[in-house]
Amino acid sequence: MIDTQAIVEQYGLTACIQCGKCTGGCPISPKSALNPRALIYQMLRGDEFELVARDELWDCTTCSTCGLRCPKGVKAVDLIIGLRGQWIESGKIPSTLRAPLTATLNQGNPLVLPREDRSLWADGLNVKPMAEGVEIAMFTCCENAYDPRVQPMPRALVNIFRAANVDFGTLGLDEQCCGSEIRRIGESGLFEYLRDDNIDKFKTTGVKKMVTTSPHCFNVYKNEYGTTGFAVEHYTQTVARLIDDGKLEFSKKFEATVTYQDPCFLGKQNGIYDEPRAILKAIPGVKFVDMDRSRERSMCCEGGGGRMWLEGTNAKVRLANDRIQQALETGANVLATACPFCFLTLSDAVIATGNEEKIKIIDILQIANQAL
Amino acid sequence: MQNSALVIGGGIAGIQSALDIADAGFKVYLVEKEPSVGGRMAQLDKTFPTLDCSACILTPKMVDVSRHPNIELLTYSEVTNVQHAAGDPSTGSGQSFRVTVKKKPRYVDISKCTGCGSCAEACRFKGKVVDTFNAGMSKRSAIYVPFPQAVPLKYTIDPTQCIFLTRGVCGKTFLCKDACKANAIDFTQKEQFVELNVGAIVAATGFDPFNAALKPELGYGTYPNVITSLEFERLSSASGPTAGKILLKGKEPKEVAFVQCVGSRDQTTGNLYCSRVCCMITAKHAHLVKDKVRNSTVTVFYADIRAFGKGFEEFYDRVREEGVNYRRGYVSEIYKRGEKLIVRSEDTLIGKPIETTADLVVLSVGLVPRPETNVVAKLLGLTNSADGFLAEAHPKMRPVDTAIDGVYLAGCAQGPKDIPDTVAHAKAAAAAAIVWLRRNASKQYPVFSNQSVLNTVH
Amino acid sequence: MKPRIGVYICHCGLNIANTVDVEAARDFASTLPNVVAARRYTYMCSDPGQALITNDIKELKLTHVVVASCSPRMHEPTFRATIQKAGLNPYVLEMANIREQCSWVHSDRKLATLKAMDLVASAVAKVAWLVPLQEREVNVSQAALIVGGGIAGMQAALDIADAGFQAYLVEKQPYLGGRAAQLYATFPTMERVSDLLAPLMKRVNEHPNIRVMTNADVQKVDGFVGNFRATIRERPTFVDATKCDACSKCIDACSVSMPDEFNAKLTTRRAIYRPTPDSPFVIDEQRCTYIQDHVCLTTSSPIFDRGGAACVTACSQNAIDFSQSEKMSEVNIGAIIVATGAATFDAANKPELGFGTYANVITSLQFERLAARPEGFGRPFGSVKDVIFIQCVGSRDQTTGNLYCSRICCMVNAKQAHIVKGKFPDARVTVFYADVRAFGKGHEEFYDAVRKQGVRYRRGYVSEVFKRDNRIVVRAEDTLMQKSVEVEADLVVLGIGLTPRAETDEIASLLGLPRSGDGFLLEIHPKLRPVETAVDGVFLAGTCQGPKDIVDTIAQARAAASSALAPLCRGKVRVESATAFVNEEVCAGCGLCVATCPYGAPALNPRTGKARVNAVLCKGCGACQAACPSKAIQVVQFTPRQIISEIAVLV
């Protein structure tokens, strides 16, 4: 049983006028019992509420469309995360989350891989460690660091930085999970531990500016870490500026019709729409086309909010599959991403829909790297 | 002259205030920045809930204003300076405002122009200039009258569009000048400044429709078949770009969706307030679609239907009986699937997210303060309410007074209003101005004895 | 001289042109007798349209003009002015209404065109017989009558008086302030209504140009704009206010008891009472048995025993005066403002809501009275833990016959919920609604604030209120969860709507005012003339025209004042030119016209015995012409010859 009154106060739910804009925009609600508006109403009414019966709470991708569009400033996504937190506190953690959470505490990553292997992605690149005076700290998402399918992304960024003579370093084995997904799963205690630990580490290495490979890491540092003492950018911002300043030039062509998946954590949540497109348009040979549902109206890939480790209540319908269809409708043969989660969910979807011959998922970093 | 008033804004509020003050025997200067009086009401097709044609009921008032012996019309003019000369400190009598009005050059001598329109026919840019009166849905010439019933019916050269005025050359010869039999075109015209001395001022500067592009999830600007309610007015108007037929690129939309509260009651736009008119405008539009498009499906997406005025609830009942679907839930997103628009919302009364197909989506945009209102506010020393509209002296008891004696508010400059509430507000402002002018003129209350009570019978 | 007629057919955009073949109608018109010009144009009322007419008058020397367009109500004044400017008498114009009476009501283009042609032909036939008329003006009485001393009436009176004219403010109750005097606080600013009313009442009472008549009503009105004459009755209070020291001993002595209307029947009062906390003492003539039955209920003393009434005995100041009698005054006024207000819906007409059955089901007006007590809103009905507000009681409801929205109840309920939360922060306050209509300036923001205070809004009208285990239970469907719910309450507040006052009929028939479908008084045009009525010189202010909150009431009251000020300031009004005249040679002096005329215009000349018309009083209605057996009396613009010509071409 949960204390609905406390929840109403904590999340300011009284502002809600039950207009349904949250559920109407929720990418998940058409395929799941998840209904943010009805959830808020249940809290407002103060009815009995059994958490354990609510598997759909784990369907939320925390894309945040609900809160961003709410005319009365209610953040339904925060309510959902809060309810997940109460669920976890009760000890009834969904089985597929146990290992990632434990591993994040012990090994600093949710992929259940050893802490010592964190820098394997950079093998042979000789990336220098972050130290006082180094301009930029490059932060690699756990997914990019460990998953071989997305390890080429940070490697490409290293190449790009070098091509543009950027002074950068990494935290090496001191780098660990940013906690974005952990917080969204509802494990706020673990998130707070990671946050404090990370801030300490950044302080000792004198980080002034950080560039992340994932929009999720970018968002959590920018918006959820409080005062960190350093600036943070997603790589699309950094690379777009390097191009703009004339520090990065492309010599090769990348002949393709390219469309682009706006990551929710970069686009909708942080308003970064133009930079990724500017990079793509600057690459010779790229014919850029936008999907109908793009920018503020972009569609979630279903990879966020812990969904990398949760199938959800309806695995038959996958948003990423729809997204591939939409990308194909533009006539594109490349669907560019700027997020490891998007890359992975969309790559799976290309295979699941049998479109390997028609369209490729490639991260912007790799496209840019190939054109250097 | 203290026996005169200045009315700023020639919409229905300004027109009504001017008429009432003039009817009470005072001289009125009515200043309108556009080439014609009429304001927003002139752009409307029908009015709710009676479905009277807007132009039909407005035109007589416009004509009245132009003919009234006590009203001097200063169209295509703007107030640029106001100096306040305080009167007697105890009574305020004798105070006056010295007002500077800039008359913008029309490049047409209005004493000669007959309004025949040959110039617009001849203009090199005929059919090329975006027609703002038609909410950008048609094209006009660089020399134009905003609409056929314009008062005064005199042509004006758009200085931002006329190629001679922007680039100094218009081919070998001025086509408009050659076409004008009245010899009215005059490119030598310059700005003129007029000084007025008035005893009272009414600010009736109106409103702007909310810019729907600020709600990108609704696809305005992306899809040509997502339009605003003001654009729908022009689409449905007999004098509009489609001569009153509901047509998009020549095709009749069969499925029409209306989206309420666009830019109103919405923190994300900064407009917390309700715009007061949109519910009924949408109900009217829904009726017009049902009336004009056979076998149409019309859906209105809403959160609360605010049908509060006289005859409004009855009209809302009527449109539902006509088969308009009301579905409770704000629209969250609009996108395309094939040829159709998809409107995504939750139907909060069945508790399910829904997709509704549409050929036309009309966004019921709210009312926002005009940027020029703040210019006028600054000139007059007025303040704004939290919502950005002009602040009245007291929200309950003094809806038309301001902190400054002799300065009054009329119509939507003070906050969103429908036409009857605007007219009542404008007449109230006129009453306040008349009282002030009569006190000012006589230096005190003229006091009547009770002599006119005739016979006390018992 | 043969008439030279011009016919002008208007397209009215597409309003006419869509249904009527205007080209064909024009061609047809040009074939009609005496027609020398027939033209058509998109908008005849526009400047170029009117220019067509003026040019023809000058160049073709027209003598008469027919405009076929909309109703003469709309544009007759426009075109009269047009032809006058061109040198014709304004009365040689006839309008054929081919819009309201043709294009708007027909769909068959062919038939509609034929009908339009008929209407044009008929107008052409009549117009040839029209004669030039003189316009006349009369002086205006420099005063206004305001009926109703609520917030609307007081505001209108002040504007009239401040502009330098005499205002007669007639209030039926013994006190000023009207409905607002019963209210506790305003939304959304939460100011005390008494604080807002007090300065207004003070100004009204002290204004040298306002004569306040309370406990009074208008008995009779005749005349016309600029020159009305009204008879006002002031009823006695039977208490000499100059002697009364407000000790209240008389009230304690009186045993006639009845519900106190001012307190929305929450309390009782006596036959002698103080209507409001600040007003003078009054004896209720209708309820005092001493006056009605000639026997004091308390002392059983008969009326001839002068000092025998309980109140008289109790009064040490000798202030009670049963010899007072009503006073009739006649006033001359130029304009009348009706500000008679609205009644509140009687919640007993919704028996399923339990009003009248359960003491803790109260109306929103009763809530105001409770909150206005010195101790504030409290617990007259036990604990205040669960409070439920029910919206739209008597509004938007066919079962009550009130289809309309009462415009204020949503915000009244929000305000009252706010008051409950302010006094009892732990109370659970729920509002049952269907649409929250927070439309005014600052209203949505107030609604936001009230929710943030913890007031719960649940969507669904309440179906039933009943009692279970000594608690009130409210049943509704929560339409946002599609479930029938039962919620317990200690107090239920019904958001009652506004309805037309029972006396509306009296004032309507006194002044000849029509009412709209909802029963409120009807303005002449719902959009552009919200305060004018069908009777020239009579204007509407406030809730007698329809529900309104205070700020909209004030705006409308000032609007009505503005309209009334026009004739007063001008000092003269134009009177009807198309009046009746008597052909004395034919008149038999039967007097039927005198008996028929509603305006008292004709009278029999005592010397000649024949009828004579006072043209100033005549409205040109034609009743006399219909009544006259010898056709001696005729209205100039509607003579039998004119009308028969008009009809002849149609039949």
Side-chain angles (χ1 to χ4, degrees):
Chain A
M1 202 72 73
I2 60 166
D3 181 354
T4 51
Q5 184 56 41
I7 285 178
V8 165
E9 276 165 31
Q10 188 180 351
Y11 299 104
L13 304 184
T14 52
C16 175
I17 55 167
Q18 288 288 299
C19 70
K21 191 139 184 162
C22 46
T23 305
C26 173
I28 294 301
S29 64
K31 58 169 265 188
S32 151
L34 186 68
N35 182 325
R37 194 264 320 154
L39 196 61
I40 292 171
Y41 203 46
Q42 272 178 307
M43 299 297 135
L44 283 172
R45 289 194 315 263
D47 294 352
E48 287 187 8
F49 187 87
E50 274 305 328
L51 262 181
V52 184
R54 298 305 194 101
D55 280 336
E56 74 269 18
L57 287 174
W58 299 103
D59 289 352
C60 172
T61 67
T62 68
C63 74
S64 296
T65 309
C66 50
L68 291 166
R69 292 196 185 145
C70 174
K72 297 292 179 180
V74 180
K75 305 277 176 230
V77 61
D78 289 349
L79 167 66
I80 293 167
I81 293 171
L83 291 174
R84 286 176 172 185
Q86 297 211 7
W87 192 320
I88 287 197
E89 263 173 41
S90 74
K92 299 183 191 98
I93 305 172
S95 58
T96 54
L97 287 182
R98 280 176 201 278
L101 288 174
T102 319
T104 307
L105 176 64
N106 297 330
Q107 303 297 334
N109 74 80
L111 283 86
V112 204
L113 288 164
R115 200 181 278 276
E116 311 83 78
D117 291 353
R118 184 149 193 120
S119 294
L120 285 181
W121 67 268
D123 242 15
L125 288 176
N126 294 321
V127 180
K128 70 176 170 186
M130 189 59 204
E132 200 79 53
V134 177
E135 190 192 333
I136 285 173
M138 177 176 153
F139 187 87
T140 320
C141 170
C142 300
E143 210 60 61
N144 287 129
Y146 288 102
D147 190 327
R149 292 176 295 171
V150 286
Q151 277 175 340
M153 285 167 56
R155 292 181 69 88
L157 182 57
V158 167
N159 267 350
I160 290 166
F161 276 163
R162 286 186 174 152
N165 292 317
V166 174
D167 179 26
F168 72 100
T170 68
L171 291 172
L173 294 183
D174 273 349
E175 192 179 77
Q176 64 176 345
C177 178
C178 67
S180 169
E181 295 306 285
I182 304 302
R183 190 180 96 70
R184 281 161 177 76
I185 284 167
E187 212 349 329
S188 53
L190 179 53
F191 166 68
E192 279 157 27
Y193 162 75
L194 292 169
R195 181 192 62 199
D196 297 346
D197 199 41
N198 281 336
I199 290 179
D200 282 349
K201 281 174 180 156
F202 301 145
K203 265 191 193 141
T204 51
T205 42
V207 175
K208 290 276 174 297
K209 184 168 177 184
M210 178 186 283
V211 174
T212 72
T213 56
S214 166
H216 294 254
C217 312
F218 162 71
N219 178 68
V220 79
Y221 288 139
K222 181 164 174 266
N223 301 318
E224 293 166 4
Y225 259 47
T227 317
T228 55
F230 59 85
V232 61
E233 275 184 354
H234 181 253
Y235 80 75
T236 50
Q237 295 173 287
T238 324
V239 173
R241 197 174 45 248
L242 290 172
I243 295 169
D244 218 31
D245 293 350
K247 290 181 182 155
L248 186 65
E249 277 167 17
F250 300 105
S251 54
K252 287 188 221 142
K253 277 193 168 183
F254 184 88
E255 297 277 4
T257 304
V258 182
T259 188
Y260 167 67
Q261 160 75 2
D262 282 290
C264 302
F265 283 68
L266 192 62
K268 281 177 178 172
Q269 294 187 35
N270 287 294
I272 298 167
Y273 299 112
D274 295 330
E275 290 89 338
R277 290 172 170 79
I279 298 170
L280 289 169
K281 286 175 186 166
I283 295 170
V286 168
K287 184 182 167 241
F288 183 75
V289 281
D290 246 326
M291 285 183 274
D292 171 51
R293 300 180 70 173
S294 61
R295 302 174 70 97
E296 291 90 346
R297 296 182 300 121
S298 181
M299 207 172 129
C300 179
C301 77
E302 221 179 330
R307 289 295 305 281
M308 294 307 284
W309 306 283
L310 289 159
E311 273 288 58
T313 57
N314 181 359
K316 273 183 281 179
V317 179
R318 287 182 194 273
L319 301 182
N321 293 3
D322 292 351
R323 204 58 177 150
I324 297 301
Q325 206 49 49
Q326 293 167 10
L328 286 170
E329 279 166 19
T330 64
N333 52 9
V334 169
L335 170 53
T337 60
C339 168
F341 293 173
C342 296
F343 180 91
L344 291 170
T345 52
L346 294 168
S347 296
D348 288 349
V350 169
I351 297 163
T353 55
N355 282 307
E356 300 99 313
E357 299 302 314
K358 291 187 191 144
I359 196 159
K360 299 227 158 2
I361 312 299
I362 313 180
D363 197 88
I364 289 179
L365 281 172
Q366 292 163 267
I367 298 175
N369 189 33
Q370 285 181 40
L372 284 176
Chain B
M1 189 170 66
Q2 288 153 26
N3 260 332
S4 63
L6 166 72
V7 176
I8 309 172
I12 184 59
I15 287 174
Q16 188 63 57
S17 285
L19 285 172
D20 278 24
I21 299 170
D23 280 348
F26 297 100
K27 169 93 184 171
V28 180
Y29 300 96
L30 177 57
V31 174
E32 166 59 50
K33 75 176 167 38
E34 297 294 328
S36 168
V37 294
R40 291 286 173 203
M41 190 177 166
Q43 290 181 284
L44 307 183
D45 173 28
K46 297 274 183 340
T47 59
F48 59 81
T50 48
L51 300 170
D52 266 331
C53 134
S54 186
C56 302
I57 58 179
L58 176 65
T59 312
K61 294 250 181 196
M62 288 163 55
V63 172
D64 283 356
V65 142
S66 69
R67 289 210 179 128
H68 202 294
N70 288 351
I71 297 178
E72 187 173 330
L73 213 51
L74 293 154
T75 48
Y76 211 49
S77 300
E78 287 166 22
V79 175
T80 55
N81 193 32
V82 178
Q83 270 183 306
H84 188 178
D88 182 317
S90 59
T91 62
S93 69
Q95 80 147 16
S96 65
F97 301 93
R98 197 167 172 74
V99 179
T100 311
V101 177
K102 177 174 82 182
K103 293 175 84 170
K104 296 178 280 190
R106 285 176 186 260
Y107 303 106
V108 172
D109 182 340
I110 63 170
S111 65
K112 292 182 183 161
C113 175
T114 62
C116 71
S118 328
C119 52
E121 282 299 313
C123 175
R124 206 173 290 282
F125 279 77
K126 189 191 169 196
K128 295 200 178 116
V129 177
V130 171
D131 186 345
T132 47
F133 181 81
N134 270 340
M137 300 177 87
S138 66
K139 301 280 176 71
R140 56 164 167 80
S141 302
I143 185 164
Y144 69 110
V145 285
F147 52 103
Q149 301 90 340
V151 170
L153 193 77
K154 304 291 178 188
Y155 276 75
T156 304
I157 296 180
D158 186 337
T160 66
Q161 300 296 330
C162 169
I163 194 162
F164 177 71
L165 290 172
T166 53
R167 299 209 201 134
V169 58
C170 172
K172 285 201 190 95
T173 171
F174 299 111
L175 297 177
C176 53
K177 215 168 173 171
D178 294 349
C180 181
K181 292 196 191 79
N183 202 16
I185 312 281
D186 176 7
F187 281 108
T188 67
Q189 279 189 359
K190 295 271 175 310
E191 285 180 348
Q192 285 183 316
F193 290 89
V194 186
E195 298 279 330
L196 309 172
N197 212 351
V198 298
I201 298 177
V202 175
T205 48
F207 69 91
D208 265 342
F210 173 75
N211 174 10
L214 296 175
K215 299 289 290 172
E217 70 268 29
L218 300 180
Y220 180 76
T222 307
Y223 306 122
N225 46 347
V226 175
I227 66 172
T228 67
S229 40
L230 188 67
E231 287 163 352
F232 185 90
E233 292 288 343
R234 298 313 303 151
L235 197 60
S236 158
S237 168
S239 58
T242 57
K245 297 206 171 71
I246 311 294
L247 292 176
L248 290 167
K249 290 185 180 161
K251 260 183 76 181
E252 208 171 49
K254 288 291 179 197
E255 296 180 308
V256 183
F258 289 91
V259 180
Q260 300 256 232
C261 297
V262 177
S264 308
R265 306 179 68 189
D266 186 354
Q267 281 202 354
T268 70
T269 63
N271 300 338
L272 304 185
Y273 57 87
C274 162
S275 289
R276 198 166 164 139
V277 297
C278 337
C279 280
M280 292 312 293
I281 288 176
T282 292
K284 172 187 75 179
H285 289 173
H287 160 83
L288 289 172
V289 172
K290 274 283 176 195
D291 189 45
K292 294 186 177 196
V293 183
R294 285 176 132 231
N295 302 321
S296 53
T297 307
V298 180
T299 311
V300 178
F301 296 93
Y302 75 101
D304 294 283
I305 293 297
R306 296 186 165 170
F308 57 84
K310 196 163 180 169
F312 291 5
E313 182 74 15
E314 294 88 331
F315 187 78
Y316 170 46
D317 287 343
R318 170 181 169 183
V319 296
R320 287 196 328 282
E321 278 160 25
E322 286 170 347
V324 173
N325 304 312
Y326 274 79
R327 300 199 81 164
R328 192 182 178 284
Y330 277 154
V331 169
S332 199
E333 207 164 293
I334 292 168
Y335 44 86
K336 221 171 165 180
R337 189 178 297 145
E339 287 305 297
K340 290 275 188 181
L341 291 173
I342 304 292
V343 178
R344 256 214 65 182
S345 67
E346 186 201 356
D347 185 327
T348 61
L349 299 180
I350 59 173
K352 291 215 170 74
I354 52 169
E355 285 188 340
T356 308
T357 53
D359 306 309
L360 170 66
V361 174
V362 184
L363 305 180
S364 197
V365 288
L367 276 50
V368 298
R370 277 185 195 266
E372 306 91 291
T373 299
N374 285 341
V375 177
V376 171
K378 218 172 200 174
L379 289 175
L380 297 174
L382 303 178
T383 52
N384 297 87
S385 323
D387 56 16
F389 291 95
L390 293 180
E392 65 279 20
H394 188 278
K396 293 308 268 193
M397 306 301 283
R398 302 180 67 197
V400 298
D401 302 276
T402 68
I404 300 161
D405 282 338
V407 178
Y408 308 99
L409 309 177
C412 292
Q414 182 260 349
K417 271 172 209 73
D418 62 9
I419 294 169
D421 286 350
T422 293
V423 170
H425 200 251
K427 291 180 74 89
I434 293 165
V435 164
W436 180 254
L437 289 172
R438 284 182 65 93
R439 283 178 58 177
N440 215 354
S442 67
K443 313 262 189 274
Q444 59 182 342
Y445 289 119
V447 176
F448 275 66
S449 70
N450 284 331
Q451 282 163 357
S452 36
V453 175
L454 287 181
N455 325 308
T456 295
V457 190
H458 294 291
Chain C
M1 192 182 87
K2 255 184 89 172
R4 296 175 61 81
I5 301 171
V7 180
Y8 300 89
I9 293 165
C10 179
H11 303 192
C12 196
L14 291 178
N15 277 301
I16 293 169
N18 243 354
T19 321
V20 171
D21 183 344
V22 283
E23 180 66 38
R26 189 204 67 87
D27 292 347
F28 168 77
S30 62
T31 65
L32 293 168
N34 300 324
V35 170
V36 295
R39 301 187 197 281
R40 61 181 177 84
Y41 191 70
T42 336
Y43 288 102
M44 210 48 95
C45 58
S46 67
D47 273 357
Q50 295 184 41
L52 288 177
I53 304 175
T54 27
N55 283 344
D56 283 355
I57 291 171
K58 285 177 185 154
E59 282 167 22
L60 301 173
K61 310 239 172 318
L62 299 182
T63 58
H64 296 80
V65 171
V66 168
V67 179
S69 59
C70 48
S71 157
R73 278 203 88 93
M74 187 74 75
H75 274 308
E76 195 172 63
T78 312
F79 294 114
R80 278 186 175 165
T82 310
I83 67 169
Q84 186 170 28
K85 230 173 120 191
L88 285 184
N89 182 281
Y91 292 88
V92 294
L93 167 84
E94 187 65 19
M95 291 191 69
N97 182 352
I98 58 166
R99 193 178 75 171
E100 285 86 343
Q101 294 177 352
C102 187
S103 70
W104 274 1
V105 289
H106 299 300
S107 49
D108 187 314
R109 189 172 164 86
K110 216 167 151 189
L111 293 174
T113 304
L114 287 175
K115 179 171 173 184
M117 289 173 175
D118 280 349
L119 291 170
V120 169
S122 163
V124 167
K126 182 188 176 190
V127 79
W129 297 104
L130 293 183
V131 291
L133 301 178
Q134 285 306 309
E135 302 209 312
R136 289 190 310 263
E137 288 192 327
V138 295
N139 288 333
V140 166
S141 300
Q142 301 278 293
L145 168 68
I146 296 99
V147 189
I151 224 162
M154 289 195 292
Q155 180 63 53
L158 279 173
D159 279 341
I160 299 285
D162 282 348
F165 300 100
Q166 176 71 49
Y168 300 102
L169 182 59
V170 175
E171 168 57 49
K172 184 180 57 159
Q173 296 291 343
Y175 57 91
L176 288 179
R179 190 64 72 194
Q182 291 177 280
L183 306 182
Y184 166 63
T186 59
F187 58 82
T189 45
M190 297 311 294
E191 287 170 284
R192 293 293 163 86
V193 178
S194 53
D195 292 346
L196 300 178
L197 270 183
L200 200 61
M201 294 205 278
K202 187 169 171 347
R203 277 202 66 209
V204 167
N205 280 319
E206 291 174 359
H207 204 295
N209 288 353
I210 300 181
R211 194 174 142 181
V212 177
M213 297 150 123
T214 49
N215 217 18
D217 47 35
V218 180
Q219 294 277 299
K220 193 178 154 208
V221 176
D222 49 33
F224 55 94
V225 56
N227 289 281
F228 292 108
R229 176 187 292 239
T231 309
I232 297 158
R233 177 181 66 161
E234 288 173 277
R235 294 188 305 275
T237 61
F238 304 105
V239 180
D240 186 339
T242 59
K243 291 183 183 164
C244 173
D245 64 353
C247 71
S248 294
K249 286 195 186 107
C250 53
I251 293 178
D252 298 337
C254 178
S255 57
V256 180
S257 176
M258 74 213 73
D260 184 349
E261 291 285 351
F262 186 79
N263 269 340
K265 299 184 181 172
L266 279 169
T267 57
T268 56
R269 64 164 171 89
R270 304 299 161 87
I272 184 162
Y273 70 114
R274 198 172 195 184
T276 77
D278 325 299
S279 66
F281 284 62
V282 186
I283 292 177
D284 183 338
E285 201 177 346
Q286 299 302 314
R287 305 305 289 264
C288 172
T289 58
Y290 197 65
I291 297 170
Q292 292 296 324
D293 311 329
H294 307 299
V295 180
C296 175
L297 182 75
T298 315
T299 61
S300 303
S301 178
I303 190 143
F304 45 78
D305 179 7
R306 281 264 162 214
C311 52
V312 177
T313 317
C315 181
S316 58
Q317 302 300 309
N318 207 15
I320 315 272
D321 178 6
F322 282 105
S323 72
Q324 283 186 4
S325 59
E326 62 183 31
K327 198 170 100 189
M328 300 289 239
S329 313
E330 272 182 9
V331 294
N332 284 335
I333 60 251
I336 299 173
I337 293 172
V338 181
T340 48
T344 50
F345 175 75
D346 180 2
N349 290 332
K350 297 290 289 175
E352 69 270 29
L353 300 181
F355 180 75
T357 312
Y358 308 121
N360 36 3
V361 176
I362 65 170
T363 67
S364 44
L365 188 64
Q366 290 180 324
F367 184 99
E368 293 292 321
R369 296 310 305 148
L370 286 174
R373 296 177 308 168
E375 65 270 34
F377 173 75
R379 41 178 76 204
F381 307 107
S383 72
V384 184
K385 273 205 192 107
D386 292 285
V387 182
I388 290 177
F389 288 88
I390 300 178
Q391 303 248 249
C392 298
V393 177
S395 308
R396 307 177 68 188
D397 184 355
Q398 281 208 358
T399 70
T400 63
N402 301 336
L403 305 184
Y404 56 88
C405 162
S406 287
R407 196 164 166 142
I408 59 165
C409 334
C410 282
M411 292 312 293
V412 169
N413 274 355
K415 171 192 76 180
Q416 294 179 345
H418 169 80
I419 291 170
V420 173
K421 269 294 196 185
K423 190 99 193 238
F424 304 102
D426 295 333
R428 284 181 293 260
V429 181
T430 307
V431 180
F432 281 95
Y433 75 101
D435 295 280
V436 177
R437 296 185 165 170
F439 58 84
K441 193 163 178 171
H443 292 185
E444 180 76 12
E445 293 88 330
F446 187 73
Y447 169 45
D448 285 343
V450 168
R451 286 196 323 284
K452 283 182 185 154
Q453 252 186 317
V455 174
R456 305 283 158 83
Y457 275 76
R458 297 188 77 160
R459 192 179 181 284
Y461 278 153
V462 169
S463 257
E464 216 164 300
V465 176
F466 55 89
K467 216 165 200 173
R468 188 165 55 208
D469 305 334
N470 237 5
R471 289 208 83 188
I472 294 283
V473 180
V474 171
R475 247 204 81 177
E477 189 206 344
D478 187 322
T479 60
L480 293 174
M481 53 187 286
Q482 304 124 59
K483 276 203 187 99
S484 194
V485 295
E486 291 181 352
V487 187
E488 293 189 356
D490 310 305
L491 178 66
V492 174
V493 184
L494 308 180
I496 50 173
L498 296 182
T499 62
R501 280 192 192 273
E503 311 89 296
T504 306
D505 262 338
E506 286 163 35
I507 190 83
S509 59
L510 193 67
L511 294 166
L513 301 178
R515 297 169 71 171
S516 37
D518 53 19
F520 292 95
L521 293 174
L522 179 65
E523 68 281 9
I524 192 147
H525 191 281
K527 297 306 269 191
L528 289 187
R529 300 181 70 193
V531 300
E532 291 91 337
T533 69
V535 183
D536 275 354
V538 178
F539 308 101
L540 305 178
T543 53
C544 65
Q545 182 261 349
K548 266 170 215 74
D549 64 4
I550 290 178
V551 64
D552 286 350
T553 292
I554 288 189
Q556 209 208 10
R558 303 196 76 167
S562 181
S563 285
L565 283 170
L568 299 184
C569 289
R570 196 163 168 263
K572 283 185 187 311
V573 284
R574 188 169 289 174
V575 291
E576 181 61 51
S577 298
T579 54
F581 67 97
V582 179
N583 183 345
E584 292 198 7
E585 283 176 21
V586 183
C587 177
C590 71
L592 261 180
C593 55
V594 180
T596 310
C597 179
Y599 307 102
L604 290 181
N605 185 333
R607 196 171 50 81
T608 61
K610 309 218 171 201
R612 221 190 197 170
V613 176
N614 179 348
V616 168
L617 294 177
C618 176
K619 304 292 271 182
C621 73
C624 54
Q625 177 171 327
C628 179
S630 50
K631 295 196 174 51
I633 191 163
Q634 298 185 357
V635 179
V636 283
Q637 215 70 334
F638 301 93
T639 61
R641 181 192 278 169
Q642 290 164 347
I643 291 173
I644 285 163
S645 327
E646 197 177 6
I647 296 169
V649 298
L650 295 176
V651 291

